Amino acid sequence: MNLTEQLTYELPMDLSAERQILGILIKHPAQVDRVVDRLRPAHFMDPAHRRIYEIILDIYNKQGRISYTQIYNRLHADSITDSPAELLIPLTESFVALSELEPSLEILLHKEGIRRLVQACDAVKALALDPKNEDLELIQAKAQERIFAATQSIDATGDDVKNLLEVLNKCYINLLRRREGDLDAYGLSVRFPSIDGMTTGFKKKDLIILAARPSMGKTALVLNMAANVAKRDIPVLFFSLEMDDEQIGDRIVLSELFAHKEGEQHLVTSHEYQGRLSDEQFMVTQKVFNELYHLPISIVDKRGMTVPEIRAKARKFKAENGNLGLIVIDYLQLIKPPDNSSRSWTLIVGEMVRELRDLAGELDVPIILLSQLNRGVESRENKRPMMSDLRDSGNIEEFADVIMFLYRDDYYNPEKARAEGTEGLVEVIFAKQRKGSTGTVQLRFIKEYTRFIDEYTK
Amino acid sequence: MGDLNRTKLIFLDTCRNLVELGELSKEEYFEICDLLDRLEELDNEEFKAELRRISKGLSDLIG
């Protein structure tokens, strides 16, 4: 098709089904309660039908009964027609058996869903062909947003209200899964028993903030978690705004190499991994590569990503990987804020965090968002992080479901740590848990292998 | 039922025209609307009596 060729088509509609629904609702007003959460005025293509439906909803909400007389008078008052009777008489002639309500409703929902898709495609076409839009990635992100919104609306059939039976059924299935030893039945286990013990697994829809000063091991810990999750064939999407894909790959390999020992001796040290390996070391490393190849970890390594870009890529990934289990974003302060915003940095960061929390809810997946801490922590005697240390904190505290801090005493007091044998000990401080208790657990960080060990499992 | 509602709507159109011609007051018109909404509860004689009470002219017109 020539790009300049105009595409002409009629939007799908079914005026007969529209008339049937209106006729049934006027005759059986109590049925309004059955359809009101699924049927919006926009589902009616004919403007007069749309208006009649709005009037029906209004009258029913105020009076609980509906009559042609009332609708006639409201249409007359609206002045949208000289003869309301001409609009209403066809409704009285519709076949108004109650059993026709559900099939007619399905037709309207279907037609409106298709219309939304067609309109979204039109909008995407206009967006793509607008010469003012030059940034391809921005166009792609907006296009995805439009299409995603259009597909979402088709599914939005008002299942917000769930009865207790449905809810308890789901709880009971989880109970059985836990009884059978499925550690992911309550939340997503990251296979660090101390952390899982505190969280009972990261919950779907939760935004988890993992914050620490530089060099505490934030990225290493989430990469360890991501690998542990992916080893159970649960897809992980990792947004790295700092490190490139090869750096991340090397870190994952190194972390796994830690487990390959002969006695107490590591077969491949991290230093050796960076250099030329012996045949034996190469075999060991190749075995690690083979173990890792199949892990469902996907990495987006791009600096300067915006929240809409992250959202678009996450939606696309979720659409292709329905069982997506975890999203990691490394890290908050590297996300590019929206252009031309005159608001304060604190407000902008708060807005970005809120949007990422909404994304976790929309995709039904936990998101771990790494964050830096402000320098204030360095000026205190006790350098254990506190909520107020969250850089540009603003609303982070309010929007996050879980806030975890990492603290290594050996970073600040290396000699003391050497003397006390506490080198590498990391405190994981749970400063906030919306669905659990706060407290601190300890892990050991083997820095040269970027590997965390749970002392609990030793 | 379809025919009855159709008849009601045509009757309403007529009454509305009478209001615009000044033959029927707005108060009378709304009383007629109320009467039409209660139509199923009334028999023929009760309806005629009610209509006569609201507007003798209109009642005479219908017969």
Side-chain angles (χ1 to χ4, degrees):
Chain A
M1 186 181 73
N2 189 316
L3 279 180
T4 56
E5 190 180 323
Q6 284 295 311
L7 191 62
T8 55
Y9 50 79
E10 278 188 9
L11 285 172
M13 66 179 100
D14 188 330
L15 298 181
S16 166
E18 292 184 9
R19 278 193 295 271
Q20 286 215 355
I21 287 183
L22 294 174
I24 291 170
L25 294 181
I26 296 170
K27 189 179 176 190
H28 306 281
Q31 298 304 314
V32 171
D33 291 331
R34 261 181 68 192
V35 302
V36 70
D37 60 337
R38 288 182 289 168
L39 193 63
R40 298 187 300 276
H43 284 105
F44 292 88
M45 187 63 181
D46 184 324
H49 291 167
R50 197 177 307 147
R51 182 62 194 138
I52 291 170
Y53 181 62
E54 286 170 348
I55 292 171
I56 287 174
L57 293 182
D58 190 45
I59 294 175
Y60 181 70
N61 287 336
K62 286 177 183 160
Q63 300 171 19
R65 64 188 183 87
I66 302 165
S67 72
Y68 279 102
T69 318
Q70 292 167 307
I71 300 171
Y72 176 99
N73 286 327
R74 287 286 295 271
L75 285 173
H76 194 273
D78 280 355
S79 305
I80 65 167
T81 173
D82 289 336
S83 177
E86 274 180 29
L87 283 179
L88 292 172
I89 284 173
L91 306 185
T92 69
E93 290 166 349
S94 294
F95 179 65
V96 287
L98 199 51
S99 59
E100 287 300 310
L101 180 61
E102 206 58 39
S104 298
L105 181 61
E106 288 300 324
I107 291 172
L108 258 57
L109 295 178
H110 177 82
K111 298 285 182 198
E112 195 264 351
I114 299 290
R115 285 202 300 272
R116 277 185 169 270
L117 274 178
V118 172
Q119 285 162 342
C121 292
D122 282 350
V124 169
K125 188 178 158 190
L127 187 75
L129 295 179
D130 186 344
K132 290 201 289 289
N133 296 330
E134 290 174 349
D135 185 338
L136 177 61
E137 291 193 0
L138 192 63
I139 295 169
Q140 287 170 332
K142 284 183 177 175
Q144 245 176 6
E145 202 168 317
R146 291 298 299 252
I147 296 293
F148 192 81
T151 52
Q152 283 300 97
S153 65
I154 295 170
D155 290 333
T157 51
D159 54 0
D160 297 342
V161 181
K162 301 173 180 106
N163 69 41
L164 187 60
L165 182 67
E166 274 178 78
V167 175
L168 290 184
N169 265 342
K170 284 196 275 187
C171 296
Y172 187 69
I173 289 166
N174 282 337
L175 186 75
L176 290 178
R177 284 174 60 196
R178 288 201 294 279
R179 198 171 141 77
E180 285 162 10
D182 183 347
L183 295 177
D184 294 318
Y186 197 69
L188 182 73
S189 163
V190 290
R191 295 299 196 260
F192 285 107
S194 301
I195 292 178
D196 288 340
M198 282 297 290
T199 62
T200 62
F202 291 134
K203 314 294 179 299
K204 289 176 176 180
K205 303 181 194 295
D206 272 7
L207 179 69
I208 299 119
I209 302 282
L210 175 60
R213 290 289 295 153
S215 297
M216 291 288 159
K218 296 186 291 290
T219 304
L221 180 57
V222 285
L223 278 174
N224 285 190
M225 289 177 178
N228 289 348
V229 169
K231 282 175 187 171
R232 280 131 54 209
D233 269 339
I234 301 172
V236 177
L237 180 58
F238 197 103
F239 288 96
S240 176
L241 288 84
E242 184 178 41
M243 284 192 280
D244 67 29
D245 54 354
E246 286 175 41
Q247 287 174 300
I248 292 170
D250 281 339
R251 277 188 170 220
I252 295 174
V253 172
L254 257 180
S255 167
E256 292 302 311
L257 275 172
F258 174 77
H260 290 74
K261 291 181 183 176
E262 199 169 75
E264 283 303 300
Q265 195 68 34
H266 290 288
L267 291 170
V268 184
T269 66
S270 61
H271 183 71
E272 286 165 339
Y273 176 75
Q274 312 290 336
R276 188 172 178 182
L277 300 176
S278 68
D279 288 350
E280 192 191 355
Q281 288 173 326
F282 186 76
M283 290 284 281
V284 171
T285 309
Q286 201 167 38
K287 190 176 168 220
V288 167
F289 270 85
N290 288 338
E291 287 166 0
L292 293 174
Y293 276 136
H294 72 279
L295 293 193
I297 298 178
S298 300
I299 297 159
V300 181
D301 63 333
K302 192 181 166 199
R303 296 182 182 199
M305 291 188 80
T306 61
V307 170
E309 284 175 306
I310 290 172
R311 186 165 50 218
K313 287 190 192 302
R315 281 173 176 159
K316 182 170 179 281
F317 189 85
K318 170 77 177 178
E320 292 163 358
N321 301 270
N323 59 338
L324 172 64
L326 177 66
I327 293 177
V328 178
I329 302 169
D330 182 12
Y331 56 85
L332 171 63
Q333 286 74 17
L334 290 181
I335 298 176
K336 189 179 168 192
D339 292 335
N340 60 46
S341 178
S342 56
R343 291 171 301 164
S344 74
W345 179 243
T346 305
L347 282 176
I348 292 169
V349 171
E351 179 69 11
M352 293 196 299
V353 173
R354 187 188 60 74
E355 287 179 17
L356 291 172
R357 186 203 59 180
D358 291 348
L359 181 66
E362 176 188 316
L363 301 184
D364 198 26
V365 69
I367 293 182
I368 302 178
L369 174 62
L370 272 56
S371 174
Q372 287 193 344
L373 293 172
N374 64 37
R375 289 176 193 279
V377 69
E378 307 291 346
S379 57
R380 285 200 306 268
E381 193 170 337
N382 184 350
K383 295 179 170 48
R384 280 177 181 77
M386 302 186 298
M387 290 286 206
S388 56
D389 297 324
L390 276 169
R391 178 181 284 180
D392 315 306
S393 44
N395 309 18
I396 295 179
E397 186 180 338
E398 181 188 333
F399 290 133
D401 297 288
V402 178
I403 295 180
M404 298 159 65
F405 294 122
L406 297 187
Y407 172 74
R408 275 171 46 208
D409 199 51
D410 68 353
Y411 180 84
Y412 295 104
N413 306 297
E415 285 171 19
K416 179 174 160 238
R418 256 193 300 277
E420 294 177 356
T422 56
E423 278 178 304
L425 272 189
V426 179
E427 293 177 24
V428 183
I429 302 163
F430 287 84
K432 176 185 176 181
Q433 278 212 91
R434 212 185 287 280
K435 298 157 193 163
S437 56
T438 55
T440 301
V441 298
Q442 279 194 335
L443 299 176
R444 189 171 289 278
F445 182 38
I446 316 296
K447 194 174 179 187
E448 63 168 342
Y449 283 94
T450 64
R451 170 83 173 219
F452 278 80
I453 303 170
D454 198 328
E455 302 283 71
Y456 179 81
T457 55
K458 209 167 76 172
Chain B
M1 183 62 76
D3 282 348
L4 179 61
N5 281 323
R6 188 171 186 275
T7 309
K8 277 189 199 178
L9 289 166
I10 293 167
F11 187 58
L12 272 175
D13 246 3
T14 307
C15 292
R16 174 65 63 185
N17 286 336
L18 290 174
V19 172
E20 280 164 19
L21 291 169
E23 300 292 330
L24 200 63
S25 72
K26 280 192 175 171
E27 290 72 23
E28 289 168 337
Y29 171 78
F30 285 116
E31 277 203 78
I32 290 168
C33 289
D34 185 49
L35 179 63
L36 290 176
D37 280 346
R38 295 187 289 114
L39 190 61
E40 285 83 351
E41 302 161 17
L42 308 172
D43 62 27
N44 198 24
E45 290 308 310
E46 287 171 325
F47 173 73
K48 281 182 178 170
E50 278 287 299
L51 190 59
R52 201 174 304 118
R53 182 189 61 76
I54 297 167
S55 167
K56 190 165 180 315
L58 189 60
S59 174
D60 291 345
L61 192 72
I62 292 176

